Amino acid sequence: MSGLIETVLNSEEKIVLWQFIGELRTSDKRYLLRNDIVCAFEDFCKRNGNSQKIDSSPLGQMIHYTQEIILEEESICIVYRPKIARQEVYRLREDTPIEHLSVQQLLDVRDHFVNQFHPDEGDVFEIDFEPFYDYSPTIRDSKNIGKGVRFLNRYMSSKLFQDPRQWLETLFNFLSLHCYNGITLLINGRIKNQHQLSEQVKDAIFFLNQFSDEIPFEDFRYEFQSMGFEPGWGNTAGRVKETLSILDELIDSPDDQVLEAFLSRVPMIFRIVLVSVHGWFGQEGVLGRPDTGGQVVYVLDQARSLEQQLKEDIILAGLDGYGIEPKVIILSRLIHNSDGTRCNQRLEKVHGTDNAWILRVPFRDFNPNMTQNWISRFEIWPYLETYAIDAEKELYAQFHGRPDLIIGNYSDGNLVAFLLARRLDVTQFNIAHALEKSKYLFSNLYWQDLEHLYHFSIQFTADLIAMNAANCIISSTYQEIVGRTDSVGQYESYESFTMPNLYHVVNGIELFSPKFNVVPPGVNENVYFPYTRTDERVPNKREHLEDLLFTLEDPSQVFGKLDNPSKRPIFSMARLDRIKNLTGLAECFGRSPALQECCNLILVAGKLTVNESSDSEEREEIEKLYRIIDEHNLYGKIRWLGVRLPKADSGEIYRVIADRRGVFVQPALFEAFGLTILEAMISGLPTFATQFGGPLEIIQDKVNGFYINPTNLEETADKILEFVTKCDHNPDHWIQLSNKAMERVYSTYTWKIHTSKLLSLSRIYGFWNFISKENREDILRYVESLFYLLFKPRAKELLEQHMHR
């Protein structure tokens, strides 16, 4: 039992606890999450004159660590999280001993809460991945979660030290495999075993000592081949000697840093697939459409940077003279009825690259009314298995062979990445961008009520399949995996949960697996750069956007005429959906006359009328935004732009706001990472961003930006007002924070940093995949069972619904 809970129950605070529980019972809610619990406790303490209990007392601390309270008839069930990635469950009754509950018991409690009037009888199907992670080392300390590669390198180097003969043989076999289109790389048949490899490495280093470091590899290539070495070690004598010296050190005295340094140089990644299936994936005319935006920007920028980094790596490896060219393919779906976009083109070159392409593969025409049109990410599931089969053939044709690495994006792309990686025997990486389970509260608990809209039963099953099959999971932040001391991470939410009447997840993901790595994305510095770099800005574009933002009267593009366009602008740009919460920002602005007095609110939100949108959630938010404007009489104080901006304009629009000393607000109810935050900060805009999700790791509060609680409208308005008031009195205050925001991005969030790390990981996990393949087969078989027994039947049911539309 937790010592803190025991302390409370053995003290006078026990009485206060039950008084608080009694007040909770007077409300309509019977299932409370942490934000509800903390707010209710603060109100309770203030009303009873015990404000000091909020932070300082054992009861206050206990409440701080309580994630859930379920109010049962004669007891309460508490989900208590005293440490990151550690959860305890207790049932409390007055005047009876505390009862510790197992995960299975907690899931039963949740099921009963949902089905109390129609309880489900009999046992429920349980999903448990814990036994299958015995093939992998496990991280012990939660602070090392997300640093999986470091832990994995230590593990592999220790194995190399403990059993050098076996591991040297494995390393030799691994190096012997490398080739590119028939060109042998690294070592040839003259080196026949690990003993010869060790000897020849030392001889090669001695041989290279006669050359100056800058001598090209080609000058000694043939002598090198006679010793058993092929191209790939480096482009100069100095680089080759350095690489071989690292290998020599690895053989003689292995450690984790040497292993990482060596594997990071192995030329094994030339052809990469980035899977992004569901949305309108294009380079023009798609941003702002449903299911696009941040993910499209992310994947396009990543593709450009990966191709550039691969070219640099090939040159350093000495392979640029052998006809070896990197190729990056973004795999998406072809949409026949493309609404004037290029999403109906099979192949499209990525702008600014030599050999990066968007490959669009159509869905099979099970039902042309569906498959020839855009399909929501929530409805896409029935088409993915056959899509993967068709995509495999297309990828073979484009690469003239297999890819070296497949990176999935979002739930559907990760599932397709699993299907392709399994068929092609290729290393699989996952990137979630967002896991809907965290975005929609109680989405698993009430999945049956939401199934007709979101089909979470299929999506959450797909998530479990893909994340457990992946060799490596890339997250943008630490909290994306396991949250913080006061919040549960996105992946952590999959550790255990119930979908009543469908299944229980007892152990859904091993959070302490070394597969998790934090590799934050960058920002496209050609598009997003500081407002102060005036020489790089286009005057005509700047003037056009100033007109659009502040003065243009065009009902087809803009709603709202500003009474005073010179007021400081509060700016936000996002899709109009519930999670992005632009309507919440408008409500916040509407409730603060003081904020309206000194600022205008400028929103770029894609659509102006419900007739323009086919997305039900977007239509609801459009209607809600009009109601808020009317209710708070915001006419003359708000501008709402219903436009899709070209990418270059989306960069300049931040700078135009910065010219007027504005601020950027990202009010999402939850944000997995927040690319718009990086874009605003690198442009020089002081930024206020949600405290729920990834922004907590981008922004350092009150140093280079500000956290806001978007559910607390008064507090959010006060924070913005406090900042702009200080800026009114001291203009340098705005400039100081602007400079710090730009410094933050340049020091931490660039695509160069991202792709260098990502390619290093791909080589290390490629090696780990090679040596652990046999041991991973058990978990992959279990994953396949879930695919065929759970995913496919439910996807088939959804397809049958589609056939009747």
Side-chain angles (χ1 to χ4, degrees), residues 101-165:
L101 301 185
S102 67
V103 171
Q104 288 89 339
Q105 289 173 315
L106 171 63
L107 300 182
D108 287 338
V109 168
R110 289 169 172 163
D111 281 356
H112 180 73
F113 181 84
V114 174
N115 297 325
Q116 53 187 311
F117 299 112
H118 303 285
D120 190 36
E121 297 183 2
D123 293 332
V124 66
F125 178 57
E126 285 191 351
I127 297 173
D128 187 355
F129 277 97
E130 184 179 28
F132 298 100
Y133 276 92
D134 57 357
Y135 79 93
S136 168
T138 303
I139 293 169
R140 295 179 181 178
D141 192 334
S142 62
K143 71 174 180 290
N144 291 322
I145 292 173
K147 302 173 184 176
V149 70
R150 184 184 304 174
F151 184 83
L152 190 60
N153 283 328
R154 288 174 186 161
Y155 175 79
M156 291 192 292
S157 62
S158 69
K159 290 292 185 182
L160 186 58
F161 184 82
Q162 293 167 14
D163 191 356
R165 185 176 179 278

Side-chain angles (χ1 to χ4, degrees), residues 272-277 281-283 295-296 298-304 327-333 346-350 355-361 387 395 399 407 409:
I272 299 176
V273 180
L274 308 177
V275 187
S276 182
V277 181
F281 201 102
Q283 299 182 80
Q295 184 172 319
V296 173
Y298 181 108
V299 176
L300 282 171
D301 287 345
Q302 187 185 61
R304 292 188 187 94
K327 189 168 189 174
V328 179
I329 288 180
I330 299 169
L331 178 65
S332 191
R333 65 165 295 224
R346 176 181 172 274
L347 203 61
E348 181 183 355
K349 193 174 184 181
V350 176
N355 205 15
W357 303 82
I358 303 170
L359 173 64
R360 300 186 183 94
V361 177
Y387 175 84
L395 291 171
F399 286 127
I407 303 177
N409 289 271

Side-chain angles (χ1 to χ4, degrees), residues 95-380:
D95 303 321
T96 59
I98 188 171
E99 179 185 359
H100 179 270
L101 301 185
S102 67
V103 171
Q104 288 89 339
Q105 289 173 315
L106 171 63
L107 300 182
D108 287 338
V109 168
R110 289 169 172 163
D111 281 356
H112 180 73
F113 181 84
V114 174
N115 297 325
Q116 53 187 311
F117 299 112
H118 303 285
D120 190 36
E121 297 183 2
D123 293 332
V124 66
F125 178 57
E126 285 191 351
I127 297 173
D128 187 355
F129 277 97
E130 184 179 28
F132 298 100
Y133 276 92
D134 57 357
Y135 79 93
S136 168
T138 303
I139 293 169
R140 295 179 181 178
D141 192 334
S142 62
K143 71 174 180 290
N144 291 322
I145 292 173
K147 302 173 184 176
V149 70
R150 184 184 304 174
F151 184 83
L152 190 60
N153 283 328
R154 288 174 186 161
Y155 175 79
M156 291 192 292
S157 62
S158 69
K159 290 292 185 182
L160 186 58
F161 184 82
Q162 293 167 14
D163 191 356
R165 185 176 179 278
Q166 179 185 345
W167 274 71
L168 281 177
E169 183 179 355
T170 301
L171 184 61
F172 168 75
N173 292 334
F174 178 70
L175 296 176
S176 301
L177 293 175
H178 288 91
C179 63
Y180 179 90
N181 288 353
I183 301 171
T184 301
L185 304 178
L186 298 179
I187 60 176
N188 59 40
R190 290 183 176 88
I191 299 177
K192 300 185 182 300
N193 54 52
Q194 67 269 27
H195 301 296
Q196 281 191 355
L197 175 64
S198 179
E199 293 171 1
Q200 290 299 91
V201 165
K202 294 182 188 302
D203 289 345
I205 294 171
F206 181 79
F207 166 76
L208 289 168
N209 283 332
Q210 65 182 297
F211 300 107
S212 61
D213 286 351
E214 65 273 7
I215 294 296
F217 173 79
E218 287 301 310
D219 286 8
F220 55 88
R221 172 187 175 189
Y222 295 108
E223 294 96 325
F224 223 53
Q225 282 181 320
S226 67
M227 300 175 72
F229 295 101
E230 294 291 338
W233 298 98
N235 58 339
T236 64
R239 177 80 177 181
V240 173
K241 184 166 63 174
E242 192 177 79
T243 305
L244 287 173
S245 296
I246 296 171
L247 176 56
D248 187 46
E249 185 179 355
L250 180 63
I251 292 170
D252 289 344
S253 54
D255 68 39
D256 57 300
Q257 293 180 343
V258 175
L259 180 63
E260 181 170 1
F262 176 69
L263 291 176
S264 296
R265 291 187 177 211
V266 175
M268 54 186 286
I269 305 295
F270 305 105
R271 296 167 289 206
I272 299 176
V273 180
L274 308 177
V275 187
S276 182
V277 181
H278 61 261
W280 296 90
F281 201 102
Q283 299 182 80
E284 298 96 12
V286 294
L287 296 182
R289 291 176 182 267
D291 293 355
T292 62
Q295 184 172 319
V296 173
V297 171
Y298 181 108
V299 176
L300 282 171
D301 287 345
Q302 187 185 61
R304 292 188 187 94
S305 188
L306 279 171
E307 189 217 27
Q308 182 60 40
Q309 189 62 51
L310 285 171
K311 287 194 291 188
E312 292 177 16
D313 291 350
I314 286 170
I315 291 171
L316 284 174
L319 297 175
D320 52 318
Y322 294 84
I324 295 177
E325 294 183 1
K327 189 168 189 174
V328 179
I329 288 180
I330 299 169
L331 178 65
S332 191
R333 65 165 295 224
L334 187 147
I335 305 173
H336 293 284
N337 298 328
S338 62
D339 194 23
T341 72
R342 294 185 181 179
C343 294
N344 62 349
Q345 292 185 11
R346 176 181 172 274
L347 203 61
E348 181 183 355
K349 193 174 184 181
V350 176
H351 301 332
T353 68
D354 294 323
N355 205 15
W357 303 82
I358 303 170
L359 173 64
R360 300 186 183 94
V361 177
F363 288 161
R364 292 186 188 176
D365 280 342
F366 297 108
N367 178 5
N369 290 334
M370 291 290 296
T371 55
Q372 295 199 6
N373 296 293
W374 167 78
I375 301 174
S376 162
R377 68 187 188 275
F378 298 116
E379 302 271 347
I380 202 170

Side-chain angles (χ1 to χ4, degrees), residues 64 146 164 231 242 318 390 456 469 475 517 621 627 708 729 769:
H64 175 80
E242 192 177 79
D390 296 341
F456 286 141
S475 72
N517 286 277
E621 290 296 294
R627 287 198 303 271
I708 58 170
H729 292 127
N769 188 29

Side-chain angles (χ1 to χ4, degrees), residues 717-728:
D718 288 345
K719 283 188 176 183
I720 299 171
L721 184 62
E722 180 183 4
F723 175 73
V724 299
T725 302
K726 286 181 180 179
C727 294
D728 288 341

Side-chain angles (χ1 to χ4, degrees), residues 114 442-454 456:
V114 174
F442 299 116
S443 51
N444 60 285
L445 206 58
Y446 294 105
W447 70 271
Q448 293 169 96
D449 298 335
L450 301 168
E451 190 73 354
H452 67 290
L453 292 174
Y454 299 117
F456 286 141

